[in-house]
mmCIF file of all heavy atoms in Angstrom:
data_model
loop_
_atom_site.group_PDB
_atom_site.id
_atom_site.type_symbol
_atom_site.label_atom_id
_atom_site.label_comp_id
_atom_site.label_asym_id
_atom_site.label_seq_id
_atom_site.Cartn_x
_atom_site.Cartn_y
_atom_site.Cartn_z
ATOM 1 N N ALA M 207 10.091 15.859 -13.889
ATOM 2 C CA ALA M 207 9.407 17.035 -13.366
ATOM 3 C C ALA M 207 7.989 16.638 -12.965
ATOM 4 O O ALA M 207 7.745 15.504 -12.557
ATOM 5 C CB ALA M 207 9.426 18.147 -14.410
ATOM 6 N N LEU M 208 7.053 17.542 -13.096
ATOM 7 C CA LEU M 208 5.692 17.277 -12.626
ATOM 8 C C LEU M 208 4.957 16.276 -13.506
ATOM 9 O O LEU M 208 4.103 15.520 -13.034
ATOM 10 C CB LEU M 208 4.916 18.600 -12.555
ATOM 11 C CG LEU M 208 3.656 18.628 -11.711
ATOM 12 C CD1 LEU M 208 3.941 18.163 -10.293
ATOM 13 C CD2 LEU M 208 3.065 20.029 -11.701
ATOM 14 N N GLU M 209 5.277 16.261 -14.795
ATOM 15 C CA GLU M 209 4.741 15.283 -15.747
ATOM 16 C C GLU M 209 3.215 15.246 -15.728
ATOM 17 O O GLU M 209 2.592 14.181 -15.779
ATOM 18 C CB GLU M 209 5.299 13.885 -15.457
ATOM 19 C CG GLU M 209 6.806 13.817 -15.243
ATOM 20 C CD GLU M 209 7.605 14.377 -16.411
ATOM 21 O OE1 GLU M 209 7.147 14.274 -17.568
ATOM 22 O OE2 GLU M 209 8.695 14.920 -16.172
ATOM 23 N N GLY M 210 2.575 16.423 -15.652
ATOM 24 C CA GLY M 210 1.130 16.494 -15.752
ATOM 25 C C GLY M 210 0.361 16.010 -14.546
ATOM 26 O O GLY M 210 -0.841 15.746 -14.642
ATOM 27 N N ARG M 211 1.000 15.909 -13.381
ATOM 28 C CA ARG M 211 0.336 15.326 -12.216
ATOM 29 C C ARG M 211 0.137 16.343 -11.098
ATOM 30 O O ARG M 211 0.233 16.033 -9.918
ATOM 31 C CB ARG M 211 1.136 14.122 -11.732
ATOM 32 C CG ARG M 211 1.313 13.063 -12.814
ATOM 33 C CD ARG M 211 2.142 11.908 -12.346
ATOM 34 N NE ARG M 211 1.480 11.218 -11.262
ATOM 35 C CZ ARG M 211 2.132 10.537 -10.322
ATOM 36 N NH1 ARG M 211 3.447 10.515 -10.329
ATOM 37 N NH2 ARG M 211 1.473 9.916 -9.380
ATOM 38 N N ALA M 212 -0.171 17.571 -11.498
ATOM 39 C CA ALA M 212 -0.358 18.628 -10.511
ATOM 40 C C ALA M 212 -1.522 18.355 -9.573
ATOM 41 O O ALA M 212 -1.514 18.788 -8.418
ATOM 42 C CB ALA M 212 -0.561 19.973 -11.217
ATOM 43 N N GLY M 213 -2.547 17.649 -10.053
ATOM 44 C CA GLY M 213 -3.722 17.398 -9.236
ATOM 45 C C GLY M 213 -3.384 16.774 -7.900
ATOM 46 O O GLY M 213 -3.995 17.106 -6.881
ATOM 47 N N TYR M 214 -2.436 15.861 -7.889
ATOM 48 C CA TYR M 214 -1.991 15.262 -6.630
ATOM 49 C C TYR M 214 -0.833 16.038 -6.028
ATOM 50 O O TYR M 214 -0.879 16.456 -4.867
ATOM 51 C CB TYR M 214 -1.573 13.806 -6.849
ATOM 52 C CG TYR M 214 -0.734 13.259 -5.711
ATOM 53 C CD1 TYR M 214 -1.307 12.988 -4.469
ATOM 54 C CD2 TYR M 214 0.642 13.067 -5.861
ATOM 55 C CE1 TYR M 214 -0.539 12.512 -3.411
ATOM 56 C CE2 TYR M 214 1.414 12.593 -4.810
ATOM 57 C CZ TYR M 214 0.815 12.316 -3.598
ATOM 58 O OH TYR M 214 1.574 11.853 -2.557
ATOM 59 N N TYR M 215 0.210 16.250 -6.820
ATOM 60 C CA TYR M 215 1.474 16.705 -6.251
ATOM 61 C C TYR M 215 1.391 18.114 -5.680
ATOM 62 O O TYR M 215 2.005 18.405 -4.639
ATOM 63 C CB TYR M 215 2.578 16.636 -7.305
ATOM 64 C CG TYR M 215 3.963 16.757 -6.704
ATOM 65 C CD1 TYR M 215 4.618 15.619 -6.231
ATOM 66 C CD2 TYR M 215 4.595 17.980 -6.581
ATOM 67 C CE1 TYR M 215 5.884 15.719 -5.657
ATOM 68 C CE2 TYR M 215 5.850 18.084 -6.019
ATOM 69 C CZ TYR M 215 6.493 16.956 -5.554
ATOM 70 O OH TYR M 215 7.729 17.055 -4.979
ATOM 71 N N ASP M 216 0.639 19.010 -6.313
ATOM 72 C CA ASP M 216 0.613 20.394 -5.853
ATOM 73 C C ASP M 216 -0.052 20.522 -4.488
ATOM 74 O O ASP M 216 0.142 21.509 -3.790
ATOM 75 C CB ASP M 216 -0.101 21.285 -6.872
ATOM 76 C CG ASP M 216 0.174 22.762 -6.650
ATOM 77 O OD1 ASP M 216 1.347 23.116 -6.413
ATOM 78 O OD2 ASP M 216 -0.782 23.568 -6.697
ATOM 79 N N ARG M 217 -0.833 19.505 -4.107
ATOM 80 C CA ARG M 217 -1.446 19.509 -2.775
ATOM 81 C C ARG M 217 -0.598 18.734 -1.760
ATOM 82 O O ARG M 217 -0.892 18.767 -0.569
ATOM 83 C CB ARG M 217 -2.849 18.893 -2.846
ATOM 84 C CG ARG M 217 -3.861 19.776 -3.561
ATOM 85 C CD ARG M 217 -5.198 19.070 -3.738
ATOM 86 N NE ARG M 217 -6.207 19.979 -4.253
ATOM 87 C CZ ARG M 217 -6.346 20.317 -5.524
ATOM 88 N NH1 ARG M 217 -5.509 19.798 -6.433
ATOM 89 N NH2 ARG M 217 -7.296 21.145 -5.914
ATOM 90 N N ALA M 218 0.397 18.041 -2.250
ATOM 91 C CA ALA M 218 1.228 17.230 -1.363
ATOM 92 C C ALA M 218 2.588 17.865 -1.150
ATOM 93 O O ALA M 218 2.926 18.301 -0.041
ATOM 94 C CB ALA M 218 1.374 15.821 -1.938
ATOM 95 N N GLY M 219 3.388 17.957 -2.207
ATOM 96 C CA GLY M 219 4.748 18.446 -2.072
ATOM 97 C C GLY M 219 5.692 17.330 -1.686
ATOM 98 O O GLY M 219 5.289 16.221 -1.321
#
Side-chain angles (χ1 to χ4, degrees):
L208 198 55
E209 313 304 328
R211 303 178 64 207
Y214 163 71
Y215 194 86
D216 196 44
R217 289 174 172 81

